[in-house]
Amino acid sequence: MFKSFFQAGFECATGYNRDGEWIDLIEDTWHHRHVDEDYRRLRAVGIATVRDAIRWPLVDRGGGRFDFSTVRTPVAAALRHGIEVVWDLFHYGYPEGTDPLADDFAERFAAYCGACARYLRRRLPGTLWFTPVNEPSYMAWAAGDAAHFAPHLCGRAGELKVALVAAAIRGIDAIRAEVPDARFVHADPMCRVVPCDASAAAEAAARHFNERGVFEARDMLAGRLRPELGGSPAHLDVVGINYYWNCQWVLGEQGSWLAPDDARRRPFRELALAAWERYGHEIVISETSHWGEHRAGWLDELAGEVEWLLARGVPLRGVCLYPILGMRDWHAPRDWMPMGLWDIDHAGGMGRVLHQPMFKALLRAQRRLRRHLPASRRA
């Protein structure tokens, strides 16, 4: 399905954080300046598929005017290095003067999606891949309940989730009107919670989250929930699973992530199987990583889970290491998080420094999974 099984994602969040500060991780990491070298380095380690961004707030100038000057360089770099891009179109940030809960929001987003498809269709060969709305479930909570991102709401997560999925569906329709064979990866967290106590209410709340809540956005995309939005299995397309070390926690206890050796924790394979069995679609691990000294061990462990799934015929088509570069903390922009295959040299022109333990873990994972992949994808 993709040019490489292991993929890389460039953190591309834009928008206003919980303190009302503007963030743009593409600029913060200097990826907009180093994209050619960033892509070259990826090819050198056997990665040919990336998640990268078209930043809606920078492109959409209002009144039906679109400025794609920030997209020219990554498109040229992708062509030069043979990189296949899954274009992330809406990663938390949206243009000034728009409101995600307004009636015209989905229409505005669809016009932008159609313009993106037209622009890329004329410049890139092969299949065009998109992630229309990144993490609608997480954004619904972060922007509609916890006030971590604009529009900084509380108590309106459910309403915002519906609005985000409605926009994604309209965006998909607009893209397919321009590029009928376009494909889509819908990246959304695959989380699991455990009850905070042994009460029946706590058990029921955890069960509702695990069996319904975590799937709501995907169910709407697939037309199973809120069919009036226009979703269908074709809209859902590839099920993207975002999975990090902190994707399992105690419900109702903020920051109470389950430790790796917690008996209540479930292996990733069970979560992936639940997504596949629910929809029967091809799946991708669209984001995964750890930080600091935990990076290599995380990748080693994940490779074992992936191997188990592939050996049993689960149509898992790729693993995206995300973020591939160290990044600023969204809500503490002076702090850098040591994540990814490359750290950032802040004193040396934002140069990239290969994290050797994770690189060796990547080599081990590539060798380990090689026999499960078609011969054409083993290089």
Side-chain angles (χ1 to χ4, degrees):
M1 177 176 285
F2 296 102
K3 291 186 73 171
S4 64
F5 185 81
F6 280 98
Q7 306 168 11
F10 292 91
E11 170 60 31
C12 54
T14 60
Y16 291 97
N17 68 9
R18 66 187 176 200
D19 298 316
E21 301 173 302
W22 177 257
I23 57 172
D24 183 336
L25 270 294
I26 292 288
E27 288 203 4
D28 286 346
T29 58
W30 284 24
H31 177 54
H32 64 309
R33 301 187 187 188
H34 291 313
V35 61
D36 191 82
E37 282 297 296
D38 285 342
Y39 283 4
R40 182 192 62 77
R41 290 185 186 93
L42 290 174
R43 289 309 303 255
V45 299
I47 293 175
T49 301
V50 307
R51 286 188 65 197
D52 213 330
I54 297 177
R55 290 167 285 171
W56 188 14
L58 277 63
V59 168
D60 188 342
R61 300 302 188 184
R65 295 176 295 111
F66 301 98
D67 176 4
F68 287 98
S69 58
T70 55
V71 188
R72 291 193 202 111
T73 302
V75 165
L79 286 168
R80 185 175 302 113
H81 297 289
I83 290 288
E84 171 184 58
V85 182
V86 180
W87 298 98
D88 195 328
L89 301 183
F90 175 14
H91 204 112
Y92 310 143
Y94 48 87
E96 293 284 349
T98 57
D99 177 358
L101 294 178
D103 292 338
D104 63 350
F105 185 78
E107 181 180 355
R108 174 82 175 260
F109 182 63
Y112 156 71
C113 288
C116 291
R118 285 192 299 275
Y119 181 86
L120 296 173
R121 180 191 63 199
R122 298 168 185 150
R123 291 163 176 83
L124 292 174
T127 302
L128 291 180
W129 285 91
F130 298 93
T131 295
V133 177
N134 177 69
E135 294 190 319
S137 297
Y138 175 76
M139 186 179 176
W141 170 81
D145 204 13
H148 283 182
F149 291 112
H152 301 109
L153 303 174
C154 294
R156 303 185 71 180
E159 188 180 353
L160 183 55
K161 187 184 294 187
V162 171
L164 293 172
V165 173
I169 291 169
R170 289 286 302 277
I172 291 167
D173 292 341
I175 290 170
R176 284 193 169 138
E178 301 288 341
V179 185
D181 62 348
R183 299 294 306 276
F184 301 89
V185 175
H186 294 285
D188 213 25
M190 193 66 192
C191 303
R192 181 181 174 276
V193 299
V194 297
C196 57
D197 55 50
S199 67
E203 293 277 357
R207 186 167 55 253
H208 180 274
F209 181 95
N210 294 332
E211 297 178 2
R212 296 182 58 186
V214 76
F215 294 110
E216 281 178 349
R218 298 180 180 97
D219 283 351
M220 285 188 275
L221 283 164
R224 297 182 174 196
L225 184 65
R226 301 293 298 263
E228 70 275 11
L229 299 178
S232 71
H235 286 88
L236 180 61
D237 203 359
V238 179
V239 175
I241 297 174
N242 290 4
Y243 185 71
Y244 293 90
W245 77 93
N246 55 0
C247 278
Q248 298 191 50
W249 68 89
V250 179
L251 186 62
E253 297 182 11
Q254 183 70 17
S256 56
W257 305 312
L258 300 186
D261 59 351
D262 193 311
R264 297 171 295 176
R265 194 177 182 92
R266 293 292 179 267
F268 170 75
R269 67 184 70 169
E270 292 186 13
L271 306 186
L273 276 174
W276 176 49
E277 291 171 351
R278 190 180 188 94
Y279 302 109
H281 287 220
E282 292 164 307
I283 62 177
V284 169
I285 302 176
S286 43
E287 294 184 18
T288 190
S289 71
H290 213 312
W291 61 279
E293 64 183 13
H294 305 288
R295 283 176 272 189
W298 178 261
L299 187 49
D300 284 331
E301 179 182 344
L302 186 73
E305 298 295 292
V306 169
E307 185 175 33
W308 189 94
L309 292 164
L310 292 175
R312 284 154 182 80
V314 176
L316 174 59
R317 304 307 191 199
V319 176
C320 184
L321 307 178
Y322 192 107
I324 199 67
L325 303 173
M327 57 173 279
R328 290 187 190 272
D329 188 314
W330 295 328
H331 306 297
R334 294 173 184 82
D335 297 337
W336 281 84
M337 302 174 69
M339 302 176 73
L341 189 56
W342 284 276
D343 292 313
I344 302 287
D345 180 5
H346 313 297
M350 302 294 283
R352 282 49 169 139
V353 180
L354 186 67
H355 184 71
Q356 291 289 341
M358 185 173 176
F359 175 54
K360 292 176 181 177
L362 174 60
L363 295 178
R364 289 192 295 271
Q366 288 170 330
R367 288 193 295 267
R368 182 174 187 174
L369 300 177
R370 185 175 184 272
R371 66 188 180 91
H372 297 283
L373 303 177
S376 61
R377 300 172 65 215
R378 290 178 184 170

